């Protein structure tokens, strides 16, 4: 029997000994007890099948073909209590939510037995209306969950299409640098080195420094270059001055040597490091 | 811009989408091209339309999802393609799907609010799974005691479910107004009390009219 | 076996190859089909030939490799596709920028001299990066023990910063003023804000509402 009883529906099919019928609301409720009869060892499985008291209530309501908005509270409460009672009797652990719902149902039922008071206590929300609201609310998201499950999704209904890669060019992009960043960096380092006060850097014309680099690159290797070839006449007087200053600076920094074999003879220049 | 040129852009777009294996936005596709050859947005859109058409009758199709465009296997071939993978596609529990549905439709929402609607505690496992799958993320904290995290769905969620936006989710069924329900219940209760409900059918004509039959067509598109 | 049937097998094979992300053997492809519908080897081979032809002019092609067949992005599109995988350029370190600035303003300069000014060692990585980027070059060696290389900036360096010559670099006096300029800018900005605020306060209810609203539709497209 145990195999047949994993689902409530299956339990019904086994038609075991009948629980005495109860006349509820005068309706002949023949099929309910069958539905209700669940072998003890299936109860845990049964409860696991529900997502909480609202889900269980919805199930009971649906079994009865009831409309949520028109619940027969006494009947639903009775069925609910039967389940809870059965589960408790078997000492299965029951989530607290189920007990809270049992209390709520009991309250609703007792209220309905009492004559209705015509109090305009607005705070006093009809607990049945509140229950219906929650059931409705829960049901719509239960449905939404089912809908989401139906939406075509990756790895089940479709798969990302990809193709193998050919040999790709290896390229490493260079970071961008803003001139401002460069200046801020320089400012930082100069402040640290306290170079502002020494005037060491400031005095120098950058064009001279640039020309120094240029001359050095011309003097690559162990070769002499004529002094005149360092000058470009097209640059005009200023250019000549810059080159001359650069040459002097290079000599001063002992980066180049100037050689003149005889008086008034050709002057040659060579990088000192190359010697 | 001539046909040949467009065809080339189309082939490059296809190549890139297949190389990526994930959605690429229109901008990402355009940025594959150097500045001097970069197609205008409209051109790119046109090319993608052509690409979509060129996939007709093939094993794959171009789909627009939240993050952009994706080439993917046509659904009709999933039964065959699924055999490639030994593992069955993962099934998700109702608890997880209900939690996901609440986050999707009610975002931003806290765990407590989800629990209120579902009537049960939401296990930390479910939240963790949703976060790990990157289907949901924390978008802030509600300014109430405990400052609970508020969850919302992500682009990845939309991508995974082939949606371009939340507005493509199936519509939620409607809920009746509480006051309206209250009035109705009052009537019904009076009916019940009066007849001690020998047949509760006294109230049924009304309520049947309001029957819960799917209020909104939950058609998928 | 009719045309339509073959086309279907072809689409399924294509779908599987695109979903697999690895080569599939002829057998693996045949095994996607149930026993009752499994195409014969020759049929499968024929289908693959058709598939190969159908990829002409597209972004991908069918390749036969040791372990079977695979769909691969065409090599001719590698330059474009490669951009997808370009790593995001990282930012240069402060140390690198300082080194570069010193080379620019103090060239020709050796690594030792840079270290003297900066007060810390200059890693070889920094020099290599600057050389690889072709912003600096070795213009000679100082005639001291070890004959250290002297570095200077290049034409590419000038081009990158839109300079025609080093003399267009901001003078050091300006560098010194940077801090002051920074303060000025800040003040100006505050002035602007102050100027704007009378209007801004009038619109605040709206703007506040706007600033809070977006939370919920962050995941909408």
């Amino acid at each position: 029997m145990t195999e047949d009883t994993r689902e409530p529906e299956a339990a019904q099919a086994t038609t075991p000994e009948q629980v005495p019928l109860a006349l509820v609301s005068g309706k002949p409720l023949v099929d309910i007890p069958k539905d209700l009869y669940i072998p003890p060892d299936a109860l845990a499985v049964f409860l696991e099948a529900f997502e909480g008291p609202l889900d269980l209530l919805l199930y009971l309501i649906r079994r009865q073909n009831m409309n949520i908005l028109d619940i027969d509270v006494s009947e639903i409460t009775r069925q609910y209590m039967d389940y809870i009672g059965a589960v408790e009797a078997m000492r299965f652990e029951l989530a607290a939510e189920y007990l809270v719902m049992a209390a709520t149902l009991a309250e609703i039922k007792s209220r309905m037995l009492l004559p209705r008071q015509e109090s305009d206590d607005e705070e006093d929300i009809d607990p049945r209306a509140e229950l219906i609201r929650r059931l409705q609310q829960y049901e719509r998201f239960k449905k939404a969950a089912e809908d989401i499950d139906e939406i075509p999704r990756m790895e089940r209904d479709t798969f990302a299409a990809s193709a193998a890669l050919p040999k790709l060019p290896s390229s490493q992009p260079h970071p961008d640098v803003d001139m401002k960043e460069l200046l801020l960096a320089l400012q930082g380092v100069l402040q640290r080195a306290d170079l502002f006060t020494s005037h060491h850097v400031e005095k120098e014309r950058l064009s001279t420094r640039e020309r120094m680099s240029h001359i050095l690159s011309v003097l690559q290797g162990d070769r002499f270059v004529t002094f005149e070839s360092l000058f470009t006449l097209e640059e005009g007087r200023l250019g000549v001055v810059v080159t001359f200053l650069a040459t002097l600076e290079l000599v001063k920094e002992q980066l180049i040597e100037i050689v003149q074999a005889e008086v008034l003879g050709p002057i040659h220049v060579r990088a000192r490091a190359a010697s | 811009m001539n046909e040949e040129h467009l065809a080339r852009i189309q082939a490059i777009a296809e190549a890139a989408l297949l190389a990526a294996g994930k959605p690429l936005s229109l901008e990402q596709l355009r940025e594959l091209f150097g500045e001097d050859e970069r197609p205008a947005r409209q051109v790119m859109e046109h090319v993608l339309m052509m690409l979509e058409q060129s996939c007709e009758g093939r094993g794959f199709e171009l789909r627009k999802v939240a993050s952009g465009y994706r080439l993917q296997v046509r659904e009709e071939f999933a039964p065959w393609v699924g055999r490639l993978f030994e593992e069955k596609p993962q099934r998700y529990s109702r608890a997880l799907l209900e939690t996901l549905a609440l986050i999707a439709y009610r975002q931003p929402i806290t765990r407590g609010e989800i629990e209120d609607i579902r009537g049960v505690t939401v296990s930390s496992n479910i939240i963790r799974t949703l976060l790990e799958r990157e289907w949901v993320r924390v978008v802030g904290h509600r300014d109430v005691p405990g400052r609970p995290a508020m969850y919302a769905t992500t682009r990845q969620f939309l991508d995974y479910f082939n949606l371009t936006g939340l507005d493509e989710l199936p519509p939620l069924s409607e809920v009746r107004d509480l006051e309206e329900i209250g009035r109705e219940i009052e009537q019904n209760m009076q009916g019940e009390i009066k007849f001690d409900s020998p047949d509760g059918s006294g109230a049924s004509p009304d309520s049947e009219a309001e029957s819960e039959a799917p209020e909104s067509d939950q058609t998928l598109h």
Side-chain angles (χ1 to χ4, degrees), chain A residues 72-85:
Chain A
D72 181 344
V73 174
S74 17
E75 175 53 24
I76 292 300
T77 304
R78 194 187 61 73
Q79 289 191 23
Y80 186 87
M81 294 304 190
D82 282 352
Y83 276 108
I84 300 306

Side-chain angles (χ1 to χ4, degrees), chain A residues 39-214:
Chain A
D41 51 353
L43 272 172
V45 177
F46 178 81
L47 270 182
E48 267 170 30
F50 290 104
E51 290 298 324
L54 288 170
D55 198 24
L56 173 55
L57 273 179
L58 270 182
Y59 168 76
L60 296 174
I61 291 165
R62 293 290 170 238
R63 293 294 301 173
Q64 298 264 38
N65 283 324
M66 280 187 206
N67 183 340
I68 294 184
L69 300 178
D70 186 27
I71 315 171
D72 181 344
V73 174
S74 17
E75 175 53 24
I76 292 300
T77 304
R78 194 187 61 73
Q79 289 191 23
Y80 186 87
M81 294 304 190
D82 282 352
Y83 276 108
I84 300 306
V87 172
E88 286 197 309
M90 295 312 299
R91 299 189 185 159
F92 285 117
E93 207 169 313
L94 195 61
E97 291 98 345
Y98 285 93
L99 299 176
V100 172
M101 180 57 73
T104 309
L105 287 170
E107 193 204 345
I108 295 173
K109 203 173 163 186
S110 65
R111 273 223 204 183
M112 284 170 59
L113 296 174
L114 296 171
R116 207 157 144 71
Q117 290 195 325
E118 287 298 317
S119 74
D120 294 315
D121 198 353
E122 290 194 12
E123 296 295 305
D124 187 24
I125 299 171
D126 183 339
R128 196 174 124 164
E130 170 63 13
L131 177 65
I132 289 170
R133 186 192 66 81
R134 290 187 62 192
L135 280 169
Q136 251 194 321
Q137 195 69 270
Y138 173 66
E139 191 182 37
R140 74 198 293 227
F141 286 106
K142 181 181 166 174
K143 177 74 169 64
E146 288 163 12
D147 288 346
I148 284 182
D149 203 23
E150 292 291 311
I151 299 174
R153 63 170 183 246
M154 304 299 290
E155 294 160 8
R156 186 188 70 182
D157 307 299
T158 182
F159 304 84
S162 63
L165 295 175
K167 231 182 151 164
L168 293 177
S170 69
S171 63
Q172 250 192 342
H174 296 300
D176 285 324
V177 177
D178 194 337
M179 177 57 83
K180 250 182 278 161
E181 289 177 74
L182 204 57
L183 293 179
L184 280 170
L186 183 66
Q187 184 197 32
V189 73
L190 292 185
Q191 263 170 1
R192 280 210 311 277
D194 206 22
L195 283 173
F196 280 126
T197 49
S198 73
H199 298 282
H200 187 65
V201 179
E202 205 165 353
K203 270 197 304 196
E204 283 157 3
R205 298 276 307 273
L206 277 165
S207 47
T208 313
R209 289 243 148 235
E210 186 175 31
R211 189 57 51 98
M212 286 163 69
S213 297
H214 175 73

